[in-house]
Amino acid sequence: MDVKKILEESNHYIMNTYTRFPLVLRKGRGMHVWSSDGKEYLDFVGGIAVNILGHCHPKVVIALQKQAQRLLHVSNLFHNEPQIKLAKLLVEHSFADKVFFCNSGAEANEAAIKLARKYAKENMHGNRYEIITALNSFHGRTLATLTATGQKKFQKGFEPLVPGFRHVEFDDIAALRKAISDETCAVMLEPIQGEGGVRLPSAGYLMEVQEECREHELLLILDEVQTGMGRTGSLFAYEDFGIVPDVMTLAKGLGAGFPIGAMLATNKVASAFQPGSHASTFGGNPLACAAGIATVETLLEDGFVLDQCRRMGKYLVNGLEEIKKEYPSVITDIRGRGLLAGMELTRECGAIVKACMERGVIINCTAGNVLRFTPPLIVQEKEIDHMLDILDDVLGRLS
Ligand SMILES: *Cc1c(COP(=O)(O)O)cnc(C)c1O
């Protein structure tokens, strides 16, 4: 089928929820994807922080093939070994004691919100149900998670929203202190705001948030859907900031391309969930968990991938800084941690993304004017150099 026909059928049959590039992707290997017309692209988006091991990593593909031949699905009325093994791996390498599996980031956050409310009902004095989240945050598209999301543009048209959320300025501890009330049960934050434009908190902010939560006996929920699974150079971003949450959510990179989400908590908090409290038909599906196991094991092997991520993250940010020097009137800020990097511009960045794509490099634009780079953690210097060359050239032509 020719591209024109595919695009026509896409518009005809697919619900119109995305503005898509007129490109049909068919194949991927490592840092590259290929479109239906055979053109090769260097992928610095990686499924938006999903393909952490690159496209079709052999360990993940083989784990999926093996598991697919053995058992695709069983209900959660039974135990299955991949689910237990992945939970054990996550627990052994994090603060958490227990894991609930689901299928996406929004579902993981939805589960965290429900757990916080139930824990509060059973363990906190008074009537505490309110969750404080940050302005400019992103937590998902279900009704509760889009209410948690501190951006009006995602909420517009879907009112009435879910009661029990309050938003405060990110990175402003005074605003958080002021917002805590007799109804507050939890604070939910991304350690680094991803969709909101790769916004890092200033040093000490998250520690102060943790102190505030401890003092008022509130739960600290970290949404690590984007920052988790090695993205920042540590397995989880909370490690970088010297804090320990009560609840953490994961998805995106957890299956290296296979859909899976998880909500992790300490024993104390997790005990608020009992049989019947929460459920997911597909959650902890053996195939998804087999992908998760292969992903976590590959990430942890000798710390190689995490080490690579830290080094390449520095290399990428340095390169972006160099470009910033050339275009001081267009580029206002470079920021990042590990391989989550952002370049803030004085203008909309859609045209830059499009021009880079025409030159065979895929990058992303978020929050309107921030170029976001979330390449697979296996990216190498020569690939970063190539992307930077193209970006430099495109900026030169467009500015
Ligand atoms: C992507 C993302 C989500 C939503 O994940 P979905 O799998 O699309 O539901 C939630 N929180 C953060 C921080 C994200 O980056």
Side-chain angles (χ1 to χ4, degrees):
M1 222 187 326
D2 68 286
V3 178
K4 198 164 155 272
K5 183 90 195 300
I6 299 174
L7 298 181
E8 263 170 32
E9 293 207 341
S10 180
N11 289 336
H12 196 262
Y13 293 111
I14 305 291
M15 227 178 262
N16 191 22
T17 60
Y18 280 91
T19 309
R20 297 173 199 260
F21 297 102
L23 207 61
V24 183
L25 298 182
R26 256 206 193 133
K27 184 180 142 177
R29 279 291 179 285
M31 279 295 297
H32 294 91
V33 288
W34 286 265
S35 56
S36 53
D37 54 4
K39 200 172 166 206
E40 182 180 291
Y41 293 85
L42 184 60
D43 188 1
F44 269 75
V45 176
I48 314 185
V50 167
N51 301 82
I52 54 172
L53 301 176
H55 291 274
C56 298
H57 190 284
K59 290 219 172 107
V60 178
V61 171
I62 289 166
L64 280 166
Q65 285 170 337
K66 277 193 179 158
Q67 186 58 45
Q69 288 178 339
R70 193 174 299 136
L71 183 67
L72 284 181
H73 180 78
V74 283
S75 77
N76 280 310
L77 302 174
F78 302 91
H79 302 271
N80 80 71
E81 284 162 284
Q83 184 178 134
I84 300 162
K85 188 171 174 190
L86 180 56
K88 188 176 173 193
L89 268 174
L90 292 172
V91 163
E92 282 175 352
H93 292 94
S94 74
F95 72 95
D97 302 308
K98 294 273 196 291
V99 185
F100 173 83
F101 286 113
C102 50
N103 313 286
S104 67
E107 277 179 70
N109 287 331
E110 190 84 25
I113 291 163
K114 284 181 70 177
L115 181 64
R117 283 192 176 188
K118 190 134 190 305
Y119 177 84
K121 290 240 161 29
E122 291 167 6
N123 297 278
M124 293 179 185
H125 297 294
N127 180 23
R128 290 180 171 268
Y129 59 88
E130 196 169 77
I131 299 176
I132 300 175
T133 67
L135 287 166
N136 202 42
S137 60
F138 184 79
H139 297 295
R141 304 290 203 136
T142 64
L143 267 180
T145 58
L146 83 82
T147 309
T149 293
Q151 300 190 59
K152 286 259 180 317
K153 67 175 180 195
F154 294 118
Q155 301 169 338
K156 200 164 173 286
F158 299 107
E159 302 84 354
L161 301 177
V162 178
F165 292 91
R166 184 190 289 251
H167 302 104
V168 298
E169 201 65 52
F170 184 61
D171 201 25
D172 181 345
I173 193 67
L176 177 70
R177 284 193 186 115
K178 234 173 97 185
I180 295 171
S181 74
D182 292 342
E183 275 87 53
T184 314
C185 72
V187 175
M188 177 159 133
L189 295 172
E190 297 159 89
I192 298 170
Q193 293 189 328
E195 296 300 310
V198 191
R199 294 183 195 280
L200 284 91
S202 41
Y205 170 70
L206 289 172
M207 266 191 211
E208 289 177 317
V209 172
Q210 173 176 269
E211 267 167 43
E212 215 57 39
C213 286
R214 294 215 171 128
E215 193 186 316
H216 292 91
E217 294 181 24
L218 310 176
L219 296 181
L220 177 56
I221 305 170
L222 288 185
D223 177 348
E224 293 231 26
V225 168
Q226 189 157 157
T227 55
M229 305 315 297
R231 176 59 50 193
T232 64
S234 303
L235 191 55
F236 306 112
Y238 75 81
E239 301 168 39
D240 296 339
F241 293 100
I243 58 166
V244 182
D246 301 291
V247 178
M248 171 173 74
T249 55
L250 299 173
K252 292 202 164 91
L254 180 54
F258 202 88
I260 179 169
M263 188 270 287
L264 290 74
T266 59
N267 269 330
K268 184 166 173 245
V269 179
S271 65
F273 270 1
Q274 293 295 318
S277 303
H278 196 48
S280 166
T281 296
F282 290 123
N285 166 284
L287 200 56
C289 290
I293 294 163
T295 305
V296 178
E297 284 182 347
T298 306
L299 261 188
L300 291 173
E301 268 168 6
D302 308 325
F304 170 77
V305 183
L306 294 179
D307 189 52
Q308 169 89 355
C309 172
R310 280 190 293 269
R311 282 188 298 113
M312 289 304 108
K314 286 205 183 91
Y315 190 77
L316 171 61
V317 165
N318 285 343
L320 294 172
E321 291 283 2
E322 286 304 311
I323 293 182
K324 176 171 178 273
K325 283 181 199 155
E326 287 177 64
Y327 310 98
S329 61
V330 184
I331 304 169
T332 54
D333 194 25
I334 305 294
R335 46 190 183 249
R337 171 83 68 143
L339 284 166
L340 177 57
M343 176 184 255
E344 185 165 335
L345 309 175
T346 51
R347 47 180 276 187
E348 298 274 305
C349 46
I352 295 165
V353 169
K354 186 164 170 280
C356 285
M357 195 159 306
E358 281 157 9
R359 305 279 304 274
V361 173
I362 301 178
I363 59 174
N364 173 253
C365 171
T366 192
N369 66 331
V370 180
L371 291 173
R372 176 173 49 170
F373 306 88
T374 54
L377 311 187
I378 54 155
V379 67
Q380 295 184 353
E381 277 182 18
K382 64 176 195 299
E383 291 151 346
I384 293 174
D385 288 340
H386 182 68
M387 184 278 288
L388 292 171
D389 280 350
I390 302 283
L391 179 62
D392 193 349
D393 204 61
V394 163
L395 281 166
R397 278 158 207 263
L398 290 180
S399 52

